[in-house]
Amino acid sequence: MIHLPEAFISQTKSLLGLEETEALIKALSEEAPTSIRVNPNKATAISGESVPWCETGYYLSERPSFTLDPLFHAGAYYVQEASSMFLSQVIKALPEEPRRVLDLCAAPGGKSTLWRAELPEQTLLVANEPIHRRAMILAENLAKWGHPDVIVTEDYPKSFSHLPGCFDVIAADVPCSGEGMFRKDPGAIDEWSKENVDFCAQRQFEIISDVWPALREGGFLVYSTCTFNRAENEDNIERICRELGAETLPIPIKEEWKIRGSLTKDSLHVYHFFPHCTRGEGIFFALLRKTSATAPEKKSKGRPELVSQQLARQLSAWVDAKEPLAFLLSDNNMVQGVKEDFLSIAWQIKKQIKTIRAGINIAEIKGKKLIPQPDLALSTIVSPEIFPKVVLNYEQAIAYLRHEALNLDTTERGYLLATYEDRNLGFLNNLGSRANNLYPSEWRIRKQC
């Protein structure tokens, strides 16, 4: 049986009662289920039981080595805890179709990839993570997911206050005491204390307060934690409603899902996942509508720095986009492709927020050369005609993902798309005598077979 702090057990008894607390402790002592969510744009056949609240989610009977699966690196699926996939139902419950969504605390990318999979095509997703190391993981996972209408940023919530009323939806999976992760992360048990719960609750409210000006009046906040207690959940939701100006909205659920409502007030629309009730980890969701006023949206001065028309025509042949792209010249001579409809807001964000990537990294300009980028290979808009494909078997695919040299059986020269089971993995530059592996060294597989 898992050993939990007495203060946590006492806290949980006050919320759930003795019988349910014992059932929760028993569930936390059992093995956590393994679940994945498939990429609808890179569909792959999955043999597993469906996650009831997410059409693209599946439970697996055993946990394979995802690191040694090329399809995982191709973005064909994402390994995600099943309870957090309830976000799918939250998105469906939005009363309006959003145009701009900010995922504020987005690393490593599970919820961001789900947002991007289920949002309408005319919606821009901004995925943010303030910690650099985690922000780079977020950028990698979103690049592998492959959707072009994403901006990845690396900044703190307060910075977004300089974009008043910019977003229709802000999702905040706020840092928490991690009670819902006790089963998956034993270290979370050692770090737990009542003082840390109180600290997290105050920090969470400050995060929402800092970003609140960026949410338009009538816009929506999706608040989530991976914890059980009322201080970080119900109490914070009530405080947001009372002090910032908001109301909770209902999310349709089915009785057989065994999702719990508010532990404090029946009138509060909130949703708890407990491991002894649902097949997943502990998580909490609430959907709120902002009722307070917001300052008018500001427009940035100046114009985006675009590549020349000649270069734009050349790069346009590299993509197969449904709508025209604008090609931004970013730092380090990187060209990023952004849908023209999103150019103005992308430029506005880049002026105010530290931005890692706007849209898709298309090419690096190196002297007179254009070097296609891994993001382009993994994206859903790479041209199927410009870059010849080379089919890799499993051993070759793993070698490629290890950033090793390959011997290719092909007469094609120049930049080639390395593929495995009809999914793109990245680019190679075949010079004839050798093939340069262009897979990013920082993404390479280090685990041995």
Side-chain angles (χ1 to χ4, degrees), residues 4 29 43-45 77-78 89 92 149 181 206 212 221 227 241 243 277 291 299 304 306-307 440:
L4 298 171
S29 303
T44 186
Y77 62 89
Y78 191 95
Q89 298 299 319
K92 288 179 171 63
D149 299 336
M181 301 302 290
E206 290 172 357
W212 199 246
L221 171 70
T227 197
C241 291
E243 298 185 24
C277 298
T291 56
K299 300 294 183 183
L306 303 176
V307 302

mmCIF file of all heavy atoms in Angstrom, residues 4 29 43-45 77-78 89 92 149 181 206 212 221 227 241 243 277 291 299 304 306-307 440:
data_model
loop_
_atom_site.group_PDB
_atom_site.id
_atom_site.type_symbol
_atom_site.label_atom_id
_atom_site.label_comp_id
_atom_site.label_asym_id
_atom_site.label_seq_id
_atom_site.Cartn_x
_atom_site.Cartn_y
_atom_site.Cartn_z
ATOM 1 N N LEU A 4 1.223 7.612 2.337
ATOM 2 C CA LEU A 4 0.873 9.009 2.083
ATOM 3 C C LEU A 4 0.969 9.821 3.367
ATOM 4 O O LEU A 4 0.787 9.283 4.467
ATOM 5 C CB LEU A 4 -0.553 9.095 1.531
ATOM 6 C CG LEU A 4 -0.799 8.403 0.193
ATOM 7 C CD1 LEU A 4 -2.288 8.380 -0.135
ATOM 8 C CD2 LEU A 4 -0.019 9.089 -0.919
ATOM 9 N N SER A 29 -2.335 2.961 -5.054
ATOM 10 C CA SER A 29 -1.333 1.914 -4.855
ATOM 11 C C SER A 29 -1.237 0.964 -6.038
ATOM 12 O O SER A 29 -0.338 0.121 -6.102
ATOM 13 C CB SER A 29 -1.669 1.108 -3.585
ATOM 14 O OG SER A 29 -1.740 1.950 -2.454
ATOM 15 N N ALA A 43 -3.176 9.644 -39.099
ATOM 16 C CA ALA A 43 -3.908 8.539 -38.466
ATOM 17 C C ALA A 43 -3.125 7.240 -38.507
ATOM 18 O O ALA A 43 -2.447 6.916 -39.484
ATOM 19 C CB ALA A 43 -5.255 8.362 -39.149
ATOM 20 N N THR A 44 -3.245 6.506 -37.408
ATOM 21 C CA THR A 44 -2.616 5.198 -37.313
ATOM 22 C C THR A 44 -3.588 4.241 -36.624
ATOM 23 O O THR A 44 -4.394 4.652 -35.784
ATOM 24 C CB THR A 44 -1.297 5.282 -36.501
ATOM 25 O OG1 THR A 44 -0.636 4.027 -36.541
ATOM 26 C CG2 THR A 44 -1.541 5.685 -35.061
ATOM 27 N N ALA A 45 -3.545 2.979 -37.004
ATOM 28 C CA ALA A 45 -4.451 1.982 -36.422
ATOM 29 C C ALA A 45 -3.979 1.633 -35.014
ATOM 30 O O ALA A 45 -2.805 1.358 -34.789
ATOM 31 C CB ALA A 45 -4.490 0.738 -37.291
ATOM 32 N N TYR A 77 0.967 9.803 -32.921
ATOM 33 C CA TYR A 77 0.175 9.769 -31.692
ATOM 34 C C TYR A 77 0.950 10.477 -30.595
ATOM 35 O O TYR A 77 2.142 10.752 -30.715
ATOM 36 C CB TYR A 77 -0.160 8.329 -31.276
ATOM 37 C CG TYR A 77 1.039 7.463 -30.965
ATOM 38 C CD1 TYR A 77 1.574 7.412 -29.678
ATOM 39 C CD2 TYR A 77 1.651 6.688 -31.960
ATOM 40 C CE1 TYR A 77 2.674 6.625 -29.394
ATOM 41 C CE2 TYR A 77 2.742 5.898 -31.677
ATOM 42 C CZ TYR A 77 3.255 5.872 -30.389
ATOM 43 O OH TYR A 77 4.358 5.092 -30.117
ATOM 44 N N TYR A 78 0.238 10.768 -29.513
ATOM 45 C CA TYR A 78 0.858 11.412 -28.351
ATOM 46 C C TYR A 78 0.525 10.573 -27.123
ATOM 47 O O TYR A 78 -0.618 10.142 -26.955
ATOM 48 C CB TYR A 78 0.321 12.841 -28.176
ATOM 49 C CG TYR A 78 1.100 13.661 -27.174
ATOM 50 C CD1 TYR A 78 2.115 14.504 -27.589
ATOM 51 C CD2 TYR A 78 0.816 13.603 -25.815
ATOM 52 C CE1 TYR A 78 2.840 15.263 -26.670
ATOM 53 C CE2 TYR A 78 1.540 14.345 -24.886
ATOM 54 C CZ TYR A 78 2.544 15.177 -25.327
ATOM 55 O OH TYR A 78 3.270 15.916 -24.426
ATOM 56 N N GLN A 89 -13.920 17.288 -24.168
ATOM 57 C CA GLN A 89 -15.296 17.652 -23.834
ATOM 58 C C GLN A 89 -15.412 19.129 -23.478
ATOM 59 O O GLN A 89 -16.427 19.775 -23.770
ATOM 60 C CB GLN A 89 -15.806 16.790 -22.678
ATOM 61 C CG GLN A 89 -15.849 15.306 -22.971
ATOM 62 C CD GLN A 89 -16.772 14.978 -24.143
ATOM 63 O OE1 GLN A 89 -17.854 15.540 -24.273
ATOM 64 N NE2 GLN A 89 -16.336 14.064 -25.002
ATOM 65 N N LYS A 92 -15.566 21.025 -26.723
ATOM 66 C CA LYS A 92 -16.899 20.878 -27.315
ATOM 67 C C LYS A 92 -17.939 21.732 -26.590
ATOM 68 O O LYS A 92 -18.952 22.137 -27.188
ATOM 69 C CB LYS A 92 -17.322 19.407 -27.297
ATOM 70 C CG LYS A 92 -16.579 18.517 -28.284
ATOM 71 C CD LYS A 92 -17.054 17.071 -28.165
ATOM 72 C CE LYS A 92 -16.493 16.190 -29.282
ATOM 73 N NZ LYS A 92 -15.020 16.092 -29.245
ATOM 74 N N ASP A 149 -0.844 26.087 -37.756
ATOM 75 C CA ASP A 149 -1.441 27.280 -37.150
ATOM 76 C C ASP A 149 -1.187 27.333 -35.649
ATOM 77 O O ASP A 149 -2.104 27.343 -34.823
ATOM 78 C CB ASP A 149 -2.943 27.323 -37.452
ATOM 79 C CG ASP A 149 -3.216 27.392 -38.949
ATOM 80 O OD1 ASP A 149 -2.327 27.843 -39.689
ATOM 81 O OD2 ASP A 149 -4.313 26.987 -39.375
ATOM 82 N N MET A 181 -0.912 13.126 -9.184
ATOM 83 C CA MET A 181 0.197 12.429 -9.832
ATOM 84 C C MET A 181 0.962 11.535 -8.861
ATOM 85 O O MET A 181 2.024 11.022 -9.198
ATOM 86 C CB MET A 181 1.162 13.460 -10.448
ATOM 87 C CG MET A 181 0.509 14.382 -11.481
ATOM 88 S SD MET A 181 -0.232 13.481 -12.843
ATOM 89 C CE MET A 181 1.245 12.887 -13.669
ATOM 90 N N GLU A 206 -2.547 34.140 -8.671
ATOM 91 C CA GLU A 206 -1.709 35.213 -9.218
ATOM 92 C C GLU A 206 -1.475 35.021 -10.709
ATOM 93 O O GLU A 206 -1.464 35.994 -11.484
ATOM 94 C CB GLU A 206 -0.378 35.263 -8.465
ATOM 95 C CG GLU A 206 -0.518 35.763 -7.028
ATOM 96 C CD GLU A 206 0.767 35.625 -6.226
ATOM 97 O OE1 GLU A 206 1.762 35.085 -6.781
ATOM 98 O OE2 GLU A 206 0.789 36.055 -5.062
ATOM 99 N N TRP A 212 -5.230 37.742 -16.889
ATOM 100 C CA TRP A 212 -6.644 38.093 -17.053
ATOM 101 C C TRP A 212 -6.886 39.225 -18.063
ATOM 102 O O TRP A 212 -7.833 39.157 -18.851
ATOM 103 C CB TRP A 212 -7.238 38.448 -15.688
ATOM 104 C CG TRP A 212 -8.735 38.396 -15.604
ATOM 105 C CD1 TRP A 212 -9.583 39.451 -15.394
ATOM 106 C CD2 TRP A 212 -9.572 37.236 -15.713
ATOM 107 N NE1 TRP A 212 -10.890 39.026 -15.349
ATOM 108 C CE2 TRP A 212 -10.910 37.667 -15.539
ATOM 109 C CE3 TRP A 212 -9.324 35.880 -15.918
ATOM 110 C CZ2 TRP A 212 -11.996 36.790 -15.588
ATOM 111 C CZ3 TRP A 212 -10.398 35.004 -15.967
ATOM 112 C CH2 TRP A 212 -11.709 35.459 -15.804
ATOM 113 N N LEU A 221 -12.146 30.997 -19.843
ATOM 114 C CA LEU A 221 -10.974 30.461 -19.162
ATOM 115 C C LEU A 221 -11.189 28.978 -18.907
ATOM 116 O O LEU A 221 -12.218 28.584 -18.347
ATOM 117 C CB LEU A 221 -10.751 31.184 -17.826
ATOM 118 C CG LEU A 221 -9.671 30.581 -16.914
ATOM 119 C CD1 LEU A 221 -8.285 30.813 -17.512
ATOM 120 C CD2 LEU A 221 -9.754 31.177 -15.505
ATOM 121 N N THR A 227 -4.696 17.944 -9.095
ATOM 122 C CA THR A 227 -4.730 17.804 -7.651
ATOM 123 C C THR A 227 -6.168 17.641 -7.184
ATOM 124 O O THR A 227 -7.111 17.847 -7.944
ATOM 125 C CB THR A 227 -4.044 19.015 -6.986
ATOM 126 O OG1 THR A 227 -3.728 18.722 -5.646
ATOM 127 C CG2 THR A 227 -4.908 20.262 -7.062
ATOM 128 N N CYS A 241 -14.097 33.983 -9.732
ATOM 129 C CA CYS A 241 -15.427 34.524 -10.040
ATOM 130 C C CYS A 241 -15.702 35.794 -9.246
ATOM 131 O O CYS A 241 -16.209 36.789 -9.790
ATOM 132 C CB CYS A 241 -16.507 33.482 -9.741
ATOM 133 S SG CYS A 241 -16.478 32.063 -10.858
ATOM 134 N N GLU A 243 -13.456 37.891 -7.438
ATOM 135 C CA GLU A 243 -12.519 39.005 -7.472
ATOM 136 C C GLU A 243 -12.156 39.473 -8.874
ATOM 137 O O GLU A 243 -11.832 40.652 -9.066
ATOM 138 C CB GLU A 243 -11.253 38.638 -6.701
ATOM 139 C CG GLU A 243 -11.510 38.364 -5.224
ATOM 140 C CD GLU A 243 -10.229 38.118 -4.442
ATOM 141 O OE1 GLU A 243 -9.154 38.586 -4.891
ATOM 142 O OE2 GLU A 243 -10.280 37.456 -3.388
ATOM 143 N N CYS A 277 -12.481 6.269 -9.101
ATOM 144 C CA CYS A 277 -13.754 6.371 -9.825
ATOM 145 C C CYS A 277 -13.569 6.220 -11.332
ATOM 146 O O CYS A 277 -14.329 5.507 -12.000
ATOM 147 C CB CYS A 277 -14.432 7.708 -9.532
ATOM 148 S SG CYS A 277 -14.870 7.987 -7.809
ATOM 149 N N THR A 291 -16.786 37.913 -17.106
ATOM 150 C CA THR A 291 -17.900 38.865 -17.078
ATOM 151 C C THR A 291 -17.432 40.295 -16.866
ATOM 152 O O THR A 291 -18.216 41.237 -17.009
ATOM 153 C CB THR A 291 -18.887 38.493 -15.969
ATOM 154 O OG1 THR A 291 -18.193 38.435 -14.710
ATOM 155 C CG2 THR A 291 -19.520 37.129 -16.237
ATOM 156 N N LYS A 299 -2.920 47.622 -31.254
ATOM 157 C CA LYS A 299 -2.271 47.182 -32.486
ATOM 158 C C LYS A 299 -0.805 47.599 -32.462
ATOM 159 O O LYS A 299 -0.479 48.733 -32.112
ATOM 160 C CB LYS A 299 -2.961 47.786 -33.711
ATOM 161 C CG LYS A 299 -4.431 47.408 -33.853
ATOM 162 C CD LYS A 299 -4.604 45.932 -34.129
ATOM 163 C CE LYS A 299 -6.078 45.578 -34.338
ATOM 164 N NZ LYS A 299 -6.281 44.128 -34.550
ATOM 165 N N PRO A 304 5.666 43.535 -40.407
ATOM 166 C CA PRO A 304 6.456 42.302 -40.298
ATOM 167 C C PRO A 304 7.590 42.284 -41.323
ATOM 168 O O PRO A 304 7.438 42.807 -42.438
ATOM 169 C CB PRO A 304 5.433 41.200 -40.602
ATOM 170 C CG PRO A 304 4.099 41.837 -40.404
ATOM 171 C CD PRO A 304 4.256 43.280 -40.732
ATOM 172 N N LEU A 306 9.249 40.478 -43.948
ATOM 173 C CA LEU A 306 8.985 39.354 -44.834
ATOM 174 C C LEU A 306 10.156 39.138 -45.778
ATOM 175 O O LEU A 306 10.947 40.046 -46.040
ATOM 176 C CB LEU A 306 7.703 39.594 -45.635
ATOM 177 C CG LEU A 306 6.425 39.855 -44.835
ATOM 178 C CD1 LEU A 306 5.268 40.162 -45.772
ATOM 179 C CD2 LEU A 306 6.095 38.667 -43.951
ATOM 180 N N VAL A 307 10.268 37.919 -46.302
ATOM 181 C CA VAL A 307 11.304 37.637 -47.288
ATOM 182 C C VAL A 307 10.939 38.299 -48.615
ATOM 183 O O VAL A 307 9.812 38.774 -48.801
ATOM 184 C CB VAL A 307 11.483 36.116 -47.481
ATOM 185 C CG1 VAL A 307 11.835 35.449 -46.170
ATOM 186 C CG2 VAL A 307 10.227 35.486 -48.081
ATOM 187 N N PRO A 440 17.389 16.833 -36.139
ATOM 188 C CA PRO A 440 18.009 17.677 -35.099
ATOM 189 C C PRO A 440 18.725 16.838 -34.044
ATOM 190 O O PRO A 440 18.150 15.896 -33.481
ATOM 191 C CB PRO A 440 16.811 18.411 -34.481
ATOM 192 C CG PRO A 440 15.745 18.375 -35.523
ATOM 193 C CD PRO A 440 15.938 17.079 -36.247
#
